[in-house]
Amino acid sequence: MAEKKNILTYAGLKQLEEELQDLKVVKRKEVAQKIKEAREQGDLSENAEYDAAKDEQRDIETRIEELEKILKNAEVVVEDEIDLDKINIGCKVKVYDCEFEEELEFQIVGSTEANSLQGKISNESPVGQALIGKKMGDLVDVELINGTAQYRVMDIQRVI
């Protein structure tokens, strides 16, 4: 079975590559030094610093493995090729929430990059799925857990 493609913007790809590089080059050395210092203290059976350093090492290696898997299956959205007539991954979208009478701004990204606190929503989320393919001026109904939201698409931009 083929693994799921991880859709990323170029900025998201760069961020993951930088994190992977930092983990491999900087963090691995730091934790190796911590382990070495803890070993020098003697008895490892009751050495909390050693246990903590080994746990940190395991977490780093797990994250490295996770990042390598994401990057191996990455499909990068080329922002220059985005059709600004309709919403797609890599677009910044301004919508008007008809119920709460307020403007909202989202950036549509792949699920790997999604971060609601930064306004980055996944193309697989209910809002993302509903917005994909819509054009300026369209009314969009979004099925949410607590009911339905209605948005009007106000603006579609390329992320810079």
Side-chain angles (χ1 to χ4, degrees), residues 15-33 56-57 59-72:
Q15 185 178 8
L16 292 177
E17 287 175 340
E18 287 170 8
E19 181 184 354
L20 180 61
Q21 183 69 11
D22 181 57
L23 288 172
K24 284 183 166 182
V25 176
V26 178
K27 300 294 185 198
R28 269 184 176 164
K29 283 181 184 172
E30 287 176 1
V31 81
Q33 183 62 32
E56 186 179 352
Q57 182 181 43
D59 294 345
I60 288 170
E61 294 305 321
T62 301
R63 181 64 178 156
I64 287 171
E65 191 177 307
E66 191 178 285
L67 288 171
E68 287 175 338
K69 187 176 178 183
I70 289 168
L71 293 171
K72 181 179 140 209

Side-chain angles (χ1 to χ4, degrees), residues 91-103:
C91 288
K92 185 178 269 186
V93 183
K94 192 179 287 186
V95 297
Y96 180 77
D97 185 324
C98 298
E99 181 182 352
F100 293 104
E101 299 180 349
E102 65 180 348
E103 282 189 11

